[in-house]
Amino acid sequence: MSYLQQNTDPRLPPLDPPVEPAPGGTKRPRRRGRRILLVCLLVFSLIGGGGLLAAGLYYRSVESDIERVDAFDGVPEAGRPQVVATDAMNLLILGSDSRDPEGTGGSRTDTIILAHLPKGRSSAQLISIPRDTWVSVPKSADGRNGGRDAKINAAYAWGGVPLMVQTVEKFTDVRVDHVMMIDFAGFKDIVDALGGIEVTAEKTFTSIHPPFRTFEKGKQQLDGEAALDYARQRKQFADGDFARIRHQQQVIKAILDKAASGGILSSPTRLNSFVKATSNSVSVDEGMSLLGMASDLRGLRGSNLNFMTSPTKGTGRRGSESVVLADQEKVATFYDAVRRDSVDEILAAGKKD
């Protein structure tokens, strides 16, 4: 029996013990934060065919230990968008950076991505919604917050994942099928498990965080610490947080490209390290099946992932706050294409933005 079929080989690190439920039935968050499960799913999908079936038992053992969240608890069904394209899937990815030196993590979500998986799953469109986008936030379940316009990431602080789901659905009019929570600080272990990644910097710049690395313009190899540092940078760029979004997208694509190169799949030790780095502290909604998702995504590679940003008019001010202003006309057209699963229109609208 292969290492993919069991977890009893003494040469492999054991899976972490299950997290005990906290009072009220929810699970206690793990101290190490949540990692980028999407990458783990895509790497397992690369195994393909019989390999994916061989991974089944191992995958189920990993899945049983993953933290689950009540992402849709208390979300009023009557107010949710209708499903238009029944064969497509929309995955809401919420991320933070728990060890960000600037302390921008915590109870707010630094990264909001709506991943559209079209019929056939031959591609995926990952749409970043800037965290400072000014939107209408519904009332929180306890009635104490929301019910007014605010930055979109305030929804999580006010009402957790369910209020974030409501807010994103209200803003996009796209129904969210599943939710995944990640911690971009987990990039370090993931990249190191892969043996490093390659990115292309648009200009030479120096990190604002110790040890103040200089990233040269053009292609360069990054280890885990450097990749995480690169993904955090924004203040050296005129477009600020939009640059940070681009850097995160670059790192995600580089991870997928490196994983798809095949080296990790031919090494049981490296693959096991990669799985541990990406799945030990993952949170997904109650209804998500990791094995089913991996099977769905088996045809995806970095080359057929499309990264784009929700249409905006740039930045502005609302009272004392600096915010990102959504281009409401383009937003309506863009997300209508997402809702109808019209990939050509999504890509065309993304290029125009």
Side-chain angles (χ1 to χ4, degrees):
M1 186 175 290
S2 75
Y3 71 97
L4 287 173
Q5 292 174 297
Q6 62 175 355
N7 195 40
T8 58
D9 190 330
R11 295 171 297 175
L12 301 180
L15 294 173
D16 290 341
V19 175
E20 292 300 323
T26 59
K27 292 184 177 180
R28 301 181 192 277
R30 294 177 174 90
R31 293 298 184 188
R32 280 176 291 175
R34 300 174 178 94
R35 308 274 171 88
I36 185 163
L37 175 60
L38 177 62
V39 179
C40 185
L41 290 173
L42 292 178
V43 169
F44 266 93
S45 74
L46 296 176
I47 298 171
L52 183 61
L53 294 176
L57 293 178
Y58 181 75
Y59 223 150
R60 290 188 183 95
S61 69
V62 173
E63 184 167 37
S64 67
D65 188 43
I66 286 177
E67 183 182 351
R68 299 281 174 168
V69 295
D70 293 326
F72 304 99
D73 183 39
V75 178
E77 182 62 35
R80 301 190 67 193
Q82 295 297 309
V83 176
V84 177
T86 56
D87 294 323
M89 180 186 296
N90 297 298
L91 174 66
L92 180 61
I93 303 171
L94 303 176
S96 64
D97 188 349
S98 63
R99 296 189 293 274
D100 187 347
E102 296 180 64
T104 55
S107 62
R108 297 200 178 201
T109 49
D110 294 327
T111 302
I112 304 164
I113 297 174
L114 185 64
H116 178 71
L117 308 175
K119 178 181 179 181
R121 310 294 190 261
S122 60
S123 67
Q125 292 73 52
L126 276 66
I127 306 157
S128 294
I129 303 175
R131 61 185 179 181
D132 291 341
T133 303
W134 195 250
V135 300
S136 174
V137 179
K139 203 79 169 176
S140 61
D142 62 11
R144 297 178 181 177
N145 295 294
R148 65 178 181 87
D149 291 348
K151 294 180 180 181
I152 194 167
N153 69 344
Y156 184 81
W158 290 344
V161 179
L163 187 59
M164 180 59 80
V165 168
Q166 284 184 266
T167 302
V168 170
E169 288 189 338
K170 183 174 183 179
F171 174 61
T172 64
D173 200 25
V174 172
R175 189 179 180 95
V176 172
D177 298 300
H178 291 292
V179 176
M180 180 185 301
M181 300 186 68
I182 64 174
D183 184 348
F184 279 89
F187 274 157
K188 175 185 177 298
D189 295 335
I190 294 167
V191 172
D192 285 339
L194 289 170
I197 59 171
E198 182 180 271
V199 300
T200 301
E202 65 259 52
K203 71 173 187 178
T204 298
F205 64 94
T206 300
S207 169
I208 63 172
H209 306 128
F212 308 108
R213 297 175 180 84
T214 294
F215 296 95
E216 301 290 343
K217 180 179 180 179
K219 292 183 179 180
Q220 54 210 281
Q221 285 290 128
L222 303 178
D223 63 12
E225 287 282 5
L228 177 57
D229 194 16
Y230 181 85
R232 286 170 170 159
Q233 303 309 308
R234 61 190 176 93
K235 292 188 176 179
Q236 309 90 319
F237 297 83
D239 55 354
D241 209 45
F242 292 98
R244 188 184 65 89
I245 288 173
R246 286 197 305 274
H247 293 161
Q248 287 184 348
Q249 291 174 342
Q250 278 185 291
V251 171
I252 292 172
K253 187 177 186 301
I255 289 172
L256 295 175
D257 287 341
K258 183 64 176 288
S261 67
I264 191 172
L265 301 180
S266 62
S267 169
T269 301
R270 290 179 64 190
L271 180 56
N272 190 73
S273 296
F274 182 86
V275 172
K276 294 290 290 182
T278 55
S279 65
N280 281 352
S281 302
V282 164
S283 290
V284 298
D285 70 83
E286 297 280 1
M288 181 185 287
S289 165
L290 304 191
L291 190 58
M293 183 72 76
S295 179
D296 272 354
L297 303 181
R298 64 186 179 276
L300 289 183
R301 301 293 186 273
S303 59
N304 51 15
L305 294 181
N306 312 115
F307 294 92
M308 54 197 70
T309 302
S310 186
T312 76
K313 291 182 176 180
T315 58
R317 300 200 72 82
R318 288 293 181 267
S320 61
E321 297 186 87
S322 176
V323 304
V324 173
L325 302 173
D327 187 323
Q328 297 295 349
E329 183 176 344
K330 290 183 178 180
V331 161
T333 301
F334 179 71
Y335 289 110
D336 178 63
V338 173
R339 189 167 50 253
R340 292 183 288 104
D341 192 29
S342 179
V343 175
D344 289 343
E345 291 182 50
I346 296 171
L347 297 179
K351 289 179 181 178
K352 292 177 182 177
D353 183 42

